[in-house]
Amino acid sequence: MENQNSSFQYWMPVRILFTEAEPDIREEIAGESIVIVTDPFLYESGVAGRTGDRLGNADVSYFSKVEPNPSTDTVNACAAMIREHEAKTVIGIGGGSSMDTAKAAACLASSGGVIGDYAGKGKSFGKRTVRLILIPTTAGTGSEVTNVGVYTDSETGEKRPVVCPEFYADLAVIHPKYTYTMPRSVTANTGMDAFCHAIEAYWNLNSQPISDSFAVQAMKLILDNLLTAYRLPEDGAARENLCTASLLAGLAFGQTRTTGAHVLSYPLTARYHVPHGTGCAVTLPAFIRISVEKAGKKMQTLAEALGYIDVEALADGVCDLMRSLEMPVALREIGTKAEELSGIAKDAMNYYPQLSLTPAFMTEETVFDLLKSVY
């Protein structure tokens, strides 16, 4: 099949618990000292505290300083807390930022050092000795089932993706009701992030039959449910379907990695401080259009499976969905200036191995042309 490996492997060591009931994870805890990693909102609203309260007599500490696009300083501070408390279990609860922080901090607590020793420096984490449990409260990142984390360098502002087998959690717990209170903008951004994960896994030069199956199902669920969840936040069926979609998209891109839309999100989020989902999605229709360069037949098959006549109609449909979600569909809408496009294209080349998985000809010039097309 076009754009698909004839030889492949699929490795997913994470145990997944998808539950309608409030999760009880007391039997999953190792040791008596636990650190829960979360963001200020989930800590102050009591969501993280309810998880801690259900852990019986365990000694629970909270690291609640996780910011969007977590910094290397934040990861290092979290790891220091885990070491200080000699925690044997780390629970990441929240969006991708909290879960990514928990992944790296748990590994640092086991291997020592700081995240800068590993992110972009070639040093590998040793075996993680701290138990890791991840609980998403958004439907979008899929971080609970991937071995990927992305961190913002506190000194340079650059994004530092890290891929590490020790980042796979021991347990992922998905409880759709945790997503009911997401602000509408977060519902939109995380939903489109999941769609990007799925379609980038599908057209990826590393794609394979298992990831394709998960990706297509995820895209169908998102197209059928995202706008409903955005407009009716407590629609239980829509929320559950989006949680399923996010999970499936994570199971897909965790094998293939992401491509150009995610690569461009790195400079866009760093420069303009937009949410990650916006940074990915704003260029997505343009990437859909150019994906026919190397994956024309496969993308036509996808378009028809999703109910569109062709790839161009699929790109238009995604753009229309984003407008309905009140998301920007042009770079100028996030504050980009025309004279900055060449610098963004140049920044993208720093991630060429990931960029090259896009099914199109990716050079600094072609990326610049794509950026101009969505300016």
Side-chain angles (χ1 to χ4, degrees), residues 40 278 338:
T278 293

Side-chain angles (χ1 to χ4, degrees), residues 16 18 20 68 75 82 84 89 109 112 148 160 176 180 186 229 244 274 318 322 324 333 353 371:
I16 300 167
F18 196 109
E20 294 181 359
V75 172
I82 296 169
E84 178 185 352
T89 298
V148 182
R160 302 288 188 189
Y180 283 23
V186 177
T244 301
V274 295
V318 169
M322 291 169 60
S324 297
E333 295 176 27
L371 291 168

Side-chain angles (χ1 to χ4, degrees), residues 255-270:
Q255 305 296 313
T256 63
R257 306 297 170 237
T258 51
T259 63
H262 266 73
V263 167
L264 285 180
S265 78
Y266 302 152
L268 292 179
T269 56

Side-chain angles (χ1 to χ4, degrees), residues 39-347:
D39 60 51
F41 173 78
L42 290 175
Y43 180 73
E44 292 168 7
S45 66
V47 173
R50 288 200 297 273
T51 298
D53 292 343
R54 293 175 65 87
L55 298 179
N57 296 322
D59 179 12
V60 180
S61 302
Y62 295 87
F63 182 88
S64 59
K65 301 177 181 179
V66 179
E67 73 274 45
N69 303 306
S71 69
T72 52
D73 282 350
T74 294
V75 172
N76 293 332
C78 184
M81 173 182 276
I82 296 169
R83 294 191 195 107
E84 178 185 352
H85 291 272
E86 298 182 347
K88 298 301 181 183
T89 298
V90 170
I91 301 174
I93 180 167
S97 295
S98 294
M99 291 188 285
D100 282 2
T101 299
K103 289 177 180 181
C107 287
L108 285 173
S110 301
S111 297
V114 295
I115 188 63
D117 297 334
Y118 303 88
K121 299 293 180 63
K123 185 177 179 180
S124 298
F125 286 105
K127 183 174 177 57
R128 174 170 50 77
T129 59
V130 175
R131 187 161 177 78
L132 178 63
I133 299 172
L134 299 177
I135 307 175
T137 60
T138 65
T141 71
S143 183
E144 69 274 10
V145 290
T146 73
N147 64 340
V148 182
V150 181
Y151 310 98
T152 301
D153 190 301
S154 296
E155 294 183 2
T156 67
E158 294 180 354
K159 291 294 186 72
R160 302 288 188 189
V162 179
V163 180
C164 170
E166 297 301 320
F167 278 15
Y168 279 122
D170 297 294
L171 174 67
V173 181
I174 297 93
H175 181 44
K177 288 186 178 179
Y178 282 158
T179 69
Y180 283 23
T181 57
M182 281 193 297
R184 284 171 22 123
S185 61
V186 177
T187 296
N189 273 280
T190 55
M192 286 308 302
D193 186 23
F195 191 87
C196 289
H197 290 155
I199 200 167
E200 290 180 72
Y202 178 83
W203 70 36
N204 201 295
L205 298 186
N206 285 336
S207 68
Q208 36 106 323
I210 300 175
S211 61
D212 279 359
S213 178
F214 288 146
V216 173
Q217 181 65 10
M219 284 183 272
K220 288 180 178 178
L221 287 170
I222 293 166
L223 291 176
D224 288 345
N225 293 277
L226 180 53
L227 194 54
T228 299
Y230 180 75
R231 291 173 173 169
L232 302 170
E234 294 190 5
D235 187 304
R239 289 297 191 187
E240 182 173 326
N241 285 331
L242 287 179
C243 285
T244 301
S246 175
L247 175 64
L248 292 173
L251 292 171
F253 92 89
Q255 305 296 313
T256 63
R257 306 297 170 237
T258 51
T259 63
H262 266 73
V263 167
L264 285 180
S265 78
Y266 302 152
L268 292 179
T269 56
R271 286 169 178 253
Y272 308 111
H273 307 290
V274 295
H276 173 70
T278 293
C280 294
V282 70
T283 61
L284 182 61
F287 274 106
I288 292 174
R289 292 186 172 94
I290 68 169
S291 67
V292 298
E293 292 179 14
K294 294 184 179 180
K297 291 181 180 179
K298 188 174 184 182
M299 289 301 293
Q300 178 63 30
T301 298
L302 175 66
E304 293 173 4
L306 297 180
Y308 295 94
I309 191 172
D310 56 24
V311 177
E312 191 69 26
L314 171 60
D316 289 341
V318 169
C319 199
D320 290 342
L321 173 61
M322 291 169 60
R323 288 193 180 97
S324 297
L325 296 170
E326 301 177 88
M327 293 181 68
V329 295
L331 290 171
R332 61 181 174 275
E333 295 176 27
I334 65 171
T336 308
K337 298 179 180 178
E339 59 268 26
E340 296 168 337
L341 299 181
S342 60
I344 297 169
K346 184 176 182 180
D347 288 347

Side-chain angles (χ1 to χ4, degrees), residues 6-23:
S6 57
S7 299
F8 63 90
Q9 63 176 343
Y10 190 93
W11 171 243
M12 175 44 56
V14 181
R15 186 162 70 87
I16 300 167
L17 173 61
F18 196 109
T19 175
E20 294 181 359
E22 189 86 13

